[in-house]
Amino acid sequence: MNGPCKLLVVDDSKIMRRLITGLFDADDKIQVVGEATDGLDALAHVSRLDPDVITLDINMPGMDGLTTLKHLMIRSPKPTVMLSTLTREGEKTTFDALRYGAVDFITKPTQLDGGELEAQAQDIVTKVNLAAAVALESVRYIRAARQDKNAASFRPGFCDRVVAFGAAEGGYGALLKIIPQLRPDLPVAYLAVLYVAPPHVEAFARYLDEYSGVRVKRAVAGEPIEGGVCYLGAGVEYLTVAARDGRLVLHVHRAPFASRRGSIDRLLFSVAEAMKERAAGVILSGSGEDGSEGLEEIHRMDGVAIVQNPQSCLHKGMAQAALARCQPDFVLSDVKIATVVNGLP
């Protein structure tokens, strides 16, 4: 791309629009090309200005932000960062925004001066720059209907393969594109470590379960691993698998050095040891290098190694580290990973 990325700021508050615009005055990578006051105004600006990235409020008169986001993703998908008082981590509204196509979210400052604004200003600039670098292929409205887990057709049971996912920053969006598309009728169990606080993992598991054919639940120590189920663990935990009485069970305990970020590697090493060639590992969006050694071990044991294409990652570090360490079987955009996982023999 020649020149700076074009940013459209959408907010019904003139003060907030001015504040956000001012943050990019000294940024040579982002240029604010327009401001919109509501959803209809935003869609008109998108058609006229063709921005590269958008910040979007939710609570606006007329067409609200979530409705605007759905229309945007159908008409002209753009990397969009939700910047709203309603987009708090772990909230349903935030997960809805990510499912509708937003690539990231920021909680809007509730005060327009003082330490809170100063602390968030750099976060806004950083997240907009990261969003602008996400490949358009990965920006889309995820169509997922609510699922009835009480239906007679849902019978978790025998597990013949384990697929382990590792995600950190940007992991919400990646997992939302993958987990709801997984087939529940396969003898496959899914384990995922996500680097967010445990309460947010619990909220995310409940949300994913509503929209996924597989059952999604918080990983619990000692629980037998069943096919058709996805178990979520937090990055401050070591989530591993072990054989007991001929069955696989979950081990979950607090990571002694959580700040060192080794939980994804621990998960992948344990899955490689327990499942050998029936293991699969998937490294998704995140910063740092966690997961690269574990994925190399899965590959060494003749399991399947998958890496999210860094171009589709919000944070590219983990994917790039994995690619530098081993030659995976697949390098895919997050929107294509579920299809490959569903087709594993």
Side-chain angles (χ1 to χ4, degrees):
M1 177 183 297
N2 295 322
C5 291
K6 297 181 293 183
L7 169 64
L8 174 65
V9 177
V10 185
D11 200 297
D12 63 326
S13 167
K14 182 177 181 179
I15 295 175
M16 188 57 64
R17 293 197 306 273
R18 184 177 300 169
L19 185 154
I20 297 168
T21 299
L23 294 178
F24 294 94
D25 285 345
D27 192 321
D28 59 0
K29 296 180 181 178
I30 300 291
Q31 177 187 4
V32 178
V33 294
E35 301 176 17
T37 59
D38 58 38
L40 289 175
D41 193 25
L43 295 176
H45 275 69
V46 169
S47 297
R48 182 169 59 87
L49 300 173
D50 190 28
D52 302 302
V53 62
I54 298 170
T55 63
L56 178 61
D57 190 17
I58 290 179
N59 193 7
M60 299 183 296
M63 183 184 291
D64 64 35
L66 290 181
T67 304
T68 303
L69 185 62
K70 286 191 282 186
H71 281 284
L72 178 66
M73 292 302 152
I74 293 170
R75 295 183 187 184
S76 181
K78 304 290 182 184
T80 301
V81 178
M82 305 307 292
L83 180 54
S84 172
T85 57
L86 300 177
T87 46
R88 297 181 178 88
E89 188 168 9
E91 296 288 337
K92 181 180 183 299
T93 301
T94 303
F95 298 146
D96 282 340
L98 293 170
R99 184 166 60 86
Y100 293 162
V103 298
D104 207 350
F105 60 92
I106 307 171
T107 303
K108 185 189 293 185
T110 56
Q111 298 179 351
L112 297 183
D113 55 15
E116 181 181 0
L117 178 59
E118 183 178 350
Q120 289 197 348
Q122 187 56 50
D123 190 36
I124 293 171
V125 171
T126 298
K127 289 194 173 189
V128 169
N129 273 280
L130 288 169
V134 173
L136 276 180
E137 177 189 8
S138 190
V139 179
R140 64 174 58 185
Y141 174 24
I142 306 166
R143 300 182 182 275
R146 292 180 182 271
Q147 300 292 316
D148 180 10
K149 295 302 195 307
N150 295 320
S153 60
F154 182 82
R155 294 190 178 92
F158 175 68
C159 173
D160 184 48
R161 178 186 287 281
V162 173
V163 180
F165 299 90
E169 298 87 352
Y172 283 127
L175 290 171
L176 273 166
K177 293 183 181 77
I178 298 169
I179 305 303
Q181 311 304 322
L182 297 175
R183 288 176 51 184
D185 58 335
L186 299 175
V188 181
Y190 309 93
L191 282 68
V193 166
L194 177 60
Y195 273 95
V196 300
H200 300 328
V201 172
E202 293 168 8
F204 190 48
R206 291 192 297 270
Y207 186 88
L208 276 176
D209 190 55
E210 287 189 49
Y211 293 97
S212 303
V214 298
R215 184 176 294 281
V216 185
K217 60 195 304 184
R218 186 76 162 86
V220 177
E223 185 173 7
I225 296 174
E226 297 180 305
V229 182
C230 177
Y231 305 89
L232 265 59
V236 296
E237 303 164 339
Y238 283 163
L239 169 62
T240 58
V241 303
R244 180 191 298 170
D245 299 327
R247 296 195 66 181
L248 291 175
V249 297
L250 293 173
H251 284 186
V252 184
H253 61 275
R254 191 164 186 85
F257 306 105
S259 62
R260 297 183 185 176
R261 288 205 167 193
S263 297
I264 298 172
D265 274 326
R266 288 292 293 264
L267 171 62
L268 297 182
F269 271 110
S270 75
V271 171
E273 181 179 357
M275 300 302 295
K276 307 294 191 296
E277 73 279 0
R278 303 301 293 168
V282 186
I283 298 299
L284 301 173
S285 176
S287 60
E289 300 181 355
D290 193 13
S292 60
E293 292 185 38
L295 192 70
E296 182 182 42
E297 180 66 8
I298 282 181
H299 195 259
R300 189 183 72 82
M301 299 294 286
D302 294 325
V304 178
I306 301 172
V307 176
Q308 182 180 347
N309 189 324
Q311 291 184 342
S312 73
C313 293
L314 186 64
H315 289 257
K316 309 180 190 307
M318 285 187 0
Q320 291 173 336
L323 291 174
R325 192 170 189 100
C326 71
Q327 295 183 333
D329 300 282
F330 300 95
V331 180
L332 303 164
S333 168
D334 50 4
V335 298
K336 297 181 178 180
I337 290 175
T339 299
V340 169
V341 170
N342 287 333
L344 293 177

